[in-house]
Amino acid sequence: MSSTDQFLSFPDNFTWGAATSSFQIEGAADLDGKGPSIWDVFCRQEGKIKDGSNGDIACDHVRLYREDVALMSKLGLDAYRFSISWPRVMPTGTGAVNAPGLDFYDRLVDELLGAGITPMPTLYHWDLPQVLAEQGGWLSRDIPYAFADYTEAVLDRLGDRIGTWTTLNEPYVIANLGYVTGEMAPGHTSQADGLTASHHLMLAHGLAGERIRSLAPDSRLAIVLNFTPTEPATDSAEDHQAAEVIHDTDNRWYIDPIHGKGYPAETAEHYGWDYSEVQDGDMELISQPIDLLGINCYFRQIIGADGAVPNGPDVIQNTMGWEVHPPSIGKLLRWIHREYNPKSMMITENGCPMPDDVRGDDGHIIDHDRIAYVRDHLHQVHSAIEDGVPMEGYLVWSLFDNFEWAWGYGPTFGIVEVDYETQERRPKMSADWYSAAINANGFSLPETPVQYRGSIGPNLMDQ
Ligand code: FCB
C-alpha cells in the first residue's frame, strides 16, 4: 500500500454478500411439478424479451446449487440473498404445496448454513404463478391473501432456520413496469392498474408480515424497495414539479405508507387516484413496524418537464444506459435515515452491467469498471455509517451473470461469469476484489479517484 492509500475499515459485524433471484438463475422451469410463472409466459410472447430468450435453463442453479454455494463460500460471503419461486412451491398458486419444490429450498438453506452463509430469502421476486395472473394477478384483492397463505407454507418448512424474512422485492417495479409501462410481466399498460397493483402489493406485504410475526416470532421482518435518486434538470418551476412527481412515485410511494405516512397525497391526486382499493385496516397492516429496510439502488435520474434527460457523451454509464453516480447513494441513505429512521438498513442490491470485453491470459474477465462501481458505492455506504446511518450490510447484484428480465442475457451484472453453453462459472476480477475486501473487512481507495458528475439541479433528497 502506498502512503497516499486510504484504507476504509467496515464495522466488525458488517454483512458482505451477494443477491440473485429465482427466475433469473434457477432454470428447471417445469422440473418436479413447478407450475408456470407470469415470466415463463411473458418470455414466450413475441418481442417482449430483447434477445428472445427465457428462463428455462438460465444458470441451471436448481441442479448446480451445491457447487454454487461452494463458490460463495470460497468468495467468503457472509450472506446470500435469493428468492423463493411461488409457482415452484405452489404450482396452482393456492392450496396444495408441491413438496419437491419446497424441498429444493430446504436443501439450499441447509447447504448455506452448512457453509456458514446466512440465507436471506425473499418471498416474492416477480414470478407470480400464471394461474393467479389468470385470476386477475395483482389487480385482484384475493392475491394478497393467497400470498399470505403461500408465505405460511414456506414458513412451516423453513421458519426454524431463517433469521430475516423479506416479503417483496421492489413493488415499484412490479406495479410500474408490470402494469403501467408494460415492459415487464404481465405487461399491462394502464396507470390505473398500476395504482391498484401497488396497493395490493402493499397489502400482501402487510398480510404476510402478520403471518411472519405470528409464526416465526424470533425472525426479523424486511421488505426490499428500490430507489432512484432524482434531480430536476434545471431550477425552473416546470422541471422541479416534474421531478417531484417522479421522486414521489419512484422514491416515496412505498416507503411512506410503510412508515405510517400514507401514500404521497399530491402524487395520488396527480394520477387521479381515488383510493377506492384502500379498505379499513389496510394502512395499519401496511405500516406495521419492519426490522430491516432493504435498499436497491443502481443509478441517478435527471428529470425535466419533458421527462428523463438522456445521458450526454460526458456521462459515465453502464451498458443499460444507467448513469454511474455513487455520490447519489450516499445522499439516498442519509435521506432515508433522516426522513424515516428505519431500525436497520442494508443495500440489498447494487451493481452494474459492463462490457466485460477484456480478458486476462487465463481467460478471466478483467472488469476494472465494475470494481470501481462497487468500490465507490461501498465508499458511500462507509461514509453514511460514519454519519450514523444504521447500515448493516451490502449485497452485490449479482453473484452471477443471469437473465436480466426484458433485456434477456445481454447485460452482465455478475461478479461471476456464466458460460451458458457449459454452465461453467468463472469469477471475474471483481469477484477477486470483492473477496479480498470481505477478508480484510474493507479496502483501499485508489490514489486517483474517479470523477463523477456533480449535481445537476438541487437533489430532491437534499431538502
Ligand atoms: C432490480 C431487480 C433485479 C435485477 C436488477 C438489475 O430491479 O430487482 O432482479 O434485475 O434490477
Side-chain angles (χ1 to χ4, degrees):
M1 200 196 289
S2 81
S3 57
T4 48
D5 274 355
Q6 190 195 343
F7 187 84
L8 299 181
S9 262
F10 282 70
D12 285 345
N13 56 356
F14 190 76
T15 299
W16 302 82
T20 64
S21 87
S22 47
F23 192 78
Q24 294 178 276
I25 67 161
E26 283 183 353
D30 50 16
L31 187 79
D32 286 341
K34 176 184 167 286
S37 77
I38 54 173
W39 275 93
D40 289 304
V41 172
F42 194 68
C43 288
R44 281 175 171 72
Q45 291 169 21
E46 192 66 34
K48 299 294 189 196
I49 311 298
K50 270 195 170 51
D51 59 2
S53 63
N54 57 54
D56 287 2
I57 300 174
C59 305
D60 208 7
H61 171 72
V62 167
R63 197 169 60 83
L64 297 173
Y65 76 94
R66 276 206 179 84
E67 286 93 320
D68 289 344
V69 173
L71 175 57
M72 295 176 213
S73 167
K74 206 166 145 204
L75 295 175
L77 303 189
D78 300 320
Y80 173 55
R81 174 173 178 246
F82 59 98
S83 76
I84 296 178
S85 157
W86 185 348
R88 193 177 295 289
V89 170
M90 269 187 184
T92 47
T94 54
V97 168
N98 174 40
L102 205 40
D103 288 348
F104 166 66
Y105 298 105
D106 200 54
R107 290 196 301 271
L108 174 63
V109 165
D110 282 348
E111 194 74 16
L112 288 163
L113 290 171
I117 299 168
T118 302
M120 293 193 68
T122 299
L123 288 154
Y124 186 75
H125 197 130
W126 309 357
D127 43 358
L128 187 74
Q130 172 63 17
V131 293
L132 297 184
E134 283 154 21
Q135 294 163 33
W138 291 110
L139 301 181
S140 156
R141 197 176 162 93
D142 294 340
I143 303 303
Y145 291 88
F147 179 66
D149 290 344
Y150 149 71
T151 296
E152 183 165 338
V154 176
L155 287 172
D156 275 349
R157 179 71 85 84
L158 306 180
D160 55 336
R161 282 159 288 160
I162 300 298
T164 305
W165 285 103
T166 298
T167 54
L168 308 179
N169 178 70
E170 301 190 351
Y172 164 86
V173 173
I174 304 167
N176 283 64
L177 276 66
Y179 288 85
V180 180
T181 68
E183 288 157 75
M184 293 204 174
H188 292 218
T189 50
S190 147
Q191 182 62 60
D193 282 1
L195 292 160
T196 304
S198 75
H199 181 64
H200 290 156
L201 283 157
M202 284 289 85
L203 180 59
H205 161 73
L207 292 167
E210 220 178 24
R211 302 281 174 105
I212 292 165
R213 287 287 183 231
S214 66
L215 298 169
D218 296 333
S219 66
R220 300 193 304 168
L221 172 62
I223 186 168
V224 167
L225 303 179
N226 61 298
F227 296 88
T228 308
T230 304
E231 296 181 19
T234 71
D235 240 345
S236 76
E238 295 76 23
D239 287 356
H240 221 276
Q241 206 186 346
E244 284 283 358
V245 170
I246 299 294
H247 173 55
D248 281 4
T249 309
D250 294 12
N251 299 320
R252 301 192 84 123
W253 193 260
Y254 299 93
I255 194 173
D256 272 20
I258 286 170
H259 290 87
K261 298 177 181 222
Y263 293 105
E266 281 172 28
T267 301
E269 197 185 323
H270 171 88
Y271 291 124
W273 191 37
D274 62 4
Y275 297 85
S276 55
E277 295 83 352
V278 182
Q279 298 190 7
D280 280 354
D282 286 4
M283 299 314 283
E284 289 72 21
L285 263 178
I286 291 167
S287 60
Q288 67 188 289
I290 54 170
D291 301 299
L292 170 67
L293 178 68
I295 296 160
N296 293 357
C297 178
Y298 289 91
F299 62 101
R300 162 178 81 164
Q301 61 190 349
I302 314 296
I303 302 292
D306 300 329
V309 178
N311 292 334
D314 56 323
V315 174
I316 307 176
Q317 59 178 15
N318 68 26
T319 55
M320 284 164 77
W322 297 349
E323 182 182 8
V324 174
H325 196 259
S328 286
I329 209 172
K331 288 191 181 187
L332 169 71
L333 298 177
R334 289 183 189 84
W335 173 75
I336 293 175
H337 176 53
R338 209 170 54 235
E339 287 271 313
Y340 305 95
N341 197 20
K343 220 189 268 178
S344 191
M345 296 156 59
M346 184 187 247
I347 300 294
T348 36
E349 284 181 30
N350 173 249
C352 61
M354 286 299 185
D356 286 342
D357 52 2
V358 180
R359 288 183 190 269
D361 292 342
D362 60 0
H364 290 123
I365 288 174
I366 302 193
D367 52 344
H368 289 293
D369 43 11
R370 182 173 290 103
I371 293 173
Y373 182 99
V374 171
R375 181 197 63 217
D376 291 353
H377 282 82
L378 270 161
H379 183 185
Q380 294 292 329
V381 171
H382 187 271
S383 310
I385 294 172
E386 287 188 324
D387 289 348
V389 180
M391 296 302 303
E392 67 173 66
Y394 174 95
L395 310 180
V396 69
W397 183 273
S398 180
L399 179 60
F400 300 125
D401 290 343
N402 59 43
F403 176 78
E404 179 47 36
W405 308 111
W407 291 72
Y409 292 94
T412 53
F413 277 89
I415 57 170
V416 174
E417 179 188 15
V418 173
D419 179 331
Y420 296 109
E421 296 292 313
T422 61
Q423 289 298 340
E424 192 192 337
R425 276 73 165 129
R426 297 188 203 111
K428 303 178 190 175
M429 189 188 249
S430 54
D432 299 340
W433 180 89
Y434 196 53
S435 184
I438 297 173
N439 266 320
N441 199 33
F443 51 85
S444 294
L445 292 175
E447 283 183 37
T448 319
V450 179
Q451 296 299 319
Y452 298 104
R453 275 202 296 177
S455 280
I456 306 297
N459 186 307
L460 297 178
M461 290 173 174
D462 284 338
Q463 297 165 6

